[in-house]
Amino acid sequence: MLQLTRDGEYAVRAVVFLASQPEGRVTLISEIAETQEVPKSYLSKIMQHLVRSGLVKSRRGAKGGFVLARPADQITLRQTIEAMEGPIHLNVCLIKKGECHRDVLCPVHPVWREAQTKLIEVLDSKTMADLVRDAEILHKTVNKVEARKVKGK
């Protein structure tokens, strides 16, 4: 099954949360963990990967925590996923030419290549700023639905 790992999912949640904060605001790991429902000890390992990848900066000390390393509109969903998962390859034959001895003869190889190309295009097209805007719209919609339910009682 092709599936994002838990590490990748938690990394996306953490980066989207940081992107939703006012620019330059340093956020405690405990706040990220609580709001994103990720165990703090597990999240600290993920945050280390994100720092090493250059997507997030860490600050030590009493006013320490995490902040995006660059503006949210310059960080893509693909970059965030690949920071945890490594390069996206839907099949071993797509890692590099010749990785699979059947890639020239295989009728499925072009399909894998096309699917990977389209997936990468989609992931590259969404920035953290886009996802924050999408989340705001979703929250407003949910709040309206909840308000109607309360009025209807």
Side-chain angles (χ1 to χ4, degrees):
M1 176 190 319
L2 300 172
Q3 182 175 325
L4 187 63
T5 67
R6 184 170 301 194
D7 289 358
E9 170 65 25
Y10 287 171
V12 169
R13 287 191 209 175
V15 176
V16 171
F17 181 76
L18 289 175
S20 73
Q21 302 306 299
E23 190 173 337
R25 178 178 181 265
V26 179
T27 306
L28 296 173
I29 194 162
S30 56
E31 182 181 354
I32 301 168
E34 183 179 328
T35 60
Q36 299 309 301
E37 301 175 339
V38 179
K40 185 178 167 185
S41 59
Y42 194 74
L43 182 61
S44 67
K45 293 173 186 167
I46 289 168
M47 297 307 289
Q48 289 171 12
H49 279 282
L50 293 171
V51 168
R52 281 195 296 273
S53 74
L55 296 180
V56 172
K57 289 182 185 176
S58 65
R59 303 241 171 100
R60 295 180 182 262
K63 297 192 183 220
F66 296 92
V67 65
L68 292 181
R70 55 185 188 264
D73 64 355
Q74 294 177 20
I75 300 173
T76 67
L77 185 53
R78 175 185 176 190
Q79 291 167 336
T80 305
I81 293 168
E82 287 187 342
M84 292 306 300
E85 309 282 352
I88 295 169
H89 300 292
L90 293 181
N91 198 346
V92 68
C93 64
L94 299 172
I95 293 173
K96 66 181 180 188
K97 189 163 181 63
E99 188 69 27
C100 173
H101 71 281
R102 294 181 43 82
D103 64 0
V104 176
L105 303 171
C106 179
V108 184
H109 182 78
V111 178
W112 285 124
R113 188 176 337 111
E114 181 183 3
Q116 178 170 307
T117 298
K118 288 181 179 183
L119 174 61
I120 287 172
E121 286 172 2
V122 169
L123 297 176
D124 276 340
S125 74
K126 279 294 184 178
T127 67
M128 294 299 114
D130 295 331
L131 295 173
V132 168
R133 278 190 295 276
D134 293 349
E136 289 169 354
I137 292 166
L138 287 171
H139 287 273
K140 286 178 184 175
T141 302
V142 168
N143 289 340
K144 286 179 183 177
V145 169
E146 292 300 318
R148 286 185 192 132
K149 286 181 183 176
V150 170
K151 285 183 180 180
K153 286 186 177 180

